[in-house]
Each structure stands twice: as C-alpha cells, then as structure tokens.
Amino acid sequence: MEKENELFGVKEIARRANVSTATVDRVLHNRTGVSEKTKAKINAIIKEMDYQPNILASRLASKKIISLAALIPDVSEETDFWSAPLNGIRRAEAEMKQYGVQVQVFLFDLNDKDSFADQIRVVLDAGFHGILISPSFIEETRKFAAECVRRKVPYVFIDSDIPDLHSLTYIGPHLRKSGYVGAKLLTYRLEPEKKVLIINISKEIDNYNYLEIEDGFRAYFNDNNQPNEIVRIDIRETDYQSVARHLTYVFHLNKDIGAAFVTNSRVHTVASFLKNSHRTHVSLIGYDFVRENVDYLEDNVIDFLICHRPDDQGYRGMMALYQTLVVNAPVTKQNYMPIDIVTKENYEFYQN
C-alpha cells in the first residue's frame, strides 16, 4: 500500500506538471537533467500537494550506506562539556540508522592542535559523505574546509563558526549577542568605579568564538555608556596552577576589579581561584552547564552561567547532514541556539 501511495503521488505530480514520472523522480532526488523552469514548476506542485516521499522505502531499496563523521573534542579533566554534544550526536544516530545512515565519532584533544590535524586527516582519508566538526583550530579548519569543497563533501560547524568558510550550516550561539547578554548580566551589581576583567583561557586565543563574544561584551558597555574600565587577560596554559598564577598577577596590578567574565566553560577554574584567594565578592559569569561550573554556581561563587544547549547542537548538526544527503531538503545556513541563563535558583530544572 505504501508503494502504491508513493507511486500515485509521483504520477499525480507528473500529471499536473505535464512531465514524465522520470522527470519528477529526478527532481525529488536532486539529479541533473531538468531545466530550472520545469524544476520550479514541479517543486511548486510538490509544495502544494504537501507531498512527502517515502524515504524509508527509497533508502531500503537503494541499499546505499550513507556514512557520516563527527569530529569533536574529547572530554577532559578540565571540562566535560563535550559529553553533551556527543549525546546529541548519538541521539541523531539512533534515529537515522533505519535509513541506512552510519555515524562514526572521532575525538581530539582540545589542548593539542596536532591531534586535531591528525584526526582531520583520518576523517578525510576515510571518505565520509558528510562531516560534522567543531572548528577549534582556525588554520587547520581552513585546510579541512578547502579539501571538503574540492571533494564536494558537505560539512557542518557546531559550537563556534568561521563565517567566511562555506559550511553547510552553523549550529550554535549568536556569539556577539551572547557576549552582549553576558555584559548586561555582569552589570547588575557592578559599582561604577570598579574594573571589569575579561578572561580568555585557551591555547587558541585568536579563535573567532572568543573574539566575537568579547566584541559583543564590549559593545554593551559602549552602547550603555558604562563607565567601568575593562581589562583583558589571555591565558594560554589551561591548567589550574597556570591560571592561578596569571590571575594573581592581574589582581595584584588591578586591586579594584569588581567583576570577571570568562569566555568559555573554564569559568570553574577562575571560580576556584577566587574562592582560594578569598575574592568571592567579585561577580563572576561564564559559560556552560558542566558539573564543575554548577558546583561553584551552587556555592555562590559563580553568579550566572550562559548556556547554548550543546546536546541539541550535536543532534541538529547531524540531522542537517541527514536532510541534505538523504532527504535532499534545503538547510538553513545559520541555526542560532537560545541564549539560556542559569542561576543557583533554576539549575536543578535545566537540561543541556
């Protein structure tokens, strides 16, 4: 019966468009050989009929395996943030496997550029049909993107973006607005004479992620004529001892710091320093609903966490590849995630 309904739909579209069923089939499967005028006419009829092809039957009949790769950072001692996108990827995999889609996950060390480059080579050499990637290192990602374009392999960015590259889609926060929200939150009890400290803790300080977040953060202060001086510190060594050493120095030079904003999920490292050095009067805001951060949120050391639903990012990233490679459906170029604000009072009810 499903096969008959499927055939009837194609025949009806062909009848209305005054073309052959083979021409309709070409349009449905995004094949060449149909003029743009005819294609537009057929697509208009498909939309009018709200026609949904039987993807499962079509995929089972073709017996072609679609292989997708996900290249994301591994969970580390510093943060378990990337366990959430991995959960989303696995959730998408469970839904797609009935359509002959296979997913393989590749992990790299977020503190090791070479491990990222090595895994890129492995993924590209394996010949996947589509790739989800966290573009954690800019130059290596540019080389990866160029090779994907050469091979005509669609790729999706999650969590952070490099806008001048031609990814299929970006799924993650609107970085500038996220930083803007962070600044607005930070000023809720900030005294005019106090300084504000922006803290970037990453081996890849020039990452587009951090630059856009900081730009949005500073924009809020400019737009609202905030009198506070903003001090920035970049810390490329991500272990606690190194972070504490750098922060000790900057707080020694700037004794009137009243608030700190951390541009990524390592805010718990700063929280630990503030607690150990008896500076918990300093307002502190950072990113991501990870275990270490929630502990300091509950302990009133972190005031707010800004979260962008990483589980959903992983899921939607894989489904974008599915839409393109299996359903032949268009994908929105930018999919911005909500900017969630988590506090001590509501964290128990929040889901990543």
Side-chain angles (χ1 to χ4, degrees), residues 159-160 170-175 178 209 308 313 335-339:
D159 188 55
S160 62
Y170 161 62
I171 299 174
H174 189 296
L175 299 167
S178 180
N209 221 21
H308 302 128
Q313 290 184 44
N335 287 272
Y336 292 123
M337 303 303 296
I339 301 173

Side-chain angles (χ1 to χ4, degrees), residues 198-211:
I198 295 177
I199 307 170
N200 299 312
I201 307 172
S202 173
K203 291 186 180 295
E204 190 83 349
I205 294 298
D206 296 330
N207 190 306
Y208 175 82
N209 221 21
Y210 307 137
L211 298 177

Side-chain angles (χ1 to χ4, degrees), residues 60-259:
L60 290 176
S62 73
K63 297 183 180 179
K64 179 184 177 183
I65 298 297
I66 298 292
S67 59
L68 305 179
L71 178 56
I72 60 173
D74 198 359
V75 171
S76 68
E77 292 182 1
E78 295 174 4
T79 177
D80 62 353
F81 170 81
W82 286 97
S83 63
L86 180 58
N87 288 340
I89 290 166
R90 293 304 188 198
R91 184 157 55 93
E93 179 186 20
E95 293 183 17
M96 294 187 295
K97 64 182 180 181
Q98 64 176 321
Y99 301 109
V101 180
Q102 296 179 349
V103 177
Q104 190 168 347
V105 176
F106 297 83
L107 303 173
F108 63 90
D109 184 346
L110 193 55
N111 292 321
D112 185 354
K113 188 181 296 187
D114 290 339
S115 77
F116 182 65
D118 290 344
Q119 290 290 58
I120 282 177
R121 283 192 291 271
V122 172
V123 169
L124 290 175
D125 289 346
F128 288 95
H129 296 98
I131 304 168
L132 175 148
I133 185 171
S134 167
S136 302
F137 297 94
I138 296 175
E139 288 310 311
E140 287 70 20
T141 301
R142 289 189 182 281
K143 295 174 184 176
F144 159 82
E147 189 60 26
C148 284
V149 170
R150 188 183 73 80
R151 301 184 186 199
K152 298 182 179 179
V153 175
Y155 60 95
V156 168
F157 286 152
I158 65 167
D159 188 55
S160 62
D161 193 17
I162 305 178
D164 61 333
L165 298 182
H166 302 290
S167 63
L168 176 66
T169 182
Y170 161 62
I171 299 174
H174 189 296
L175 299 167
R176 195 173 188 277
K177 288 187 178 181
S178 180
Y180 202 95
V181 168
K184 187 171 186 176
L185 290 172
L186 203 65
T187 58
Y188 85 105
R189 63 182 179 97
L190 181 64
E191 298 172 10
E193 70 279 3
K194 294 292 186 180
K195 293 181 181 178
V196 174
L197 180 61
I198 295 177
I199 307 170
N200 299 312
I201 307 172
S202 173
K203 291 186 180 295
E204 190 83 349
I205 294 298
D206 296 330
N207 190 306
Y208 175 82
N209 221 21
Y210 307 137
L211 298 177
E212 279 292 289
I213 288 172
E214 182 177 337
D215 185 57
F217 185 89
R218 290 180 181 274
Y220 177 84
F221 277 77
N222 291 333
D223 292 349
N224 294 276
N225 298 314
Q226 289 287 140
N228 310 84
E229 179 184 345
I230 297 177
V231 178
R232 168 182 168 173
I233 182 172
D234 297 332
I235 304 174
R236 294 184 181 272
E237 303 145 300
T238 59
D239 63 283
Y240 174 76
Q241 294 302 327
S242 297
V243 172
R245 184 176 70 253
H246 285 283
L247 291 179
T248 298
Y249 177 74
V250 77
F251 271 91
H252 176 73
L253 291 181
N254 303 273
K255 300 186 186 300
D256 49 353
I257 292 174

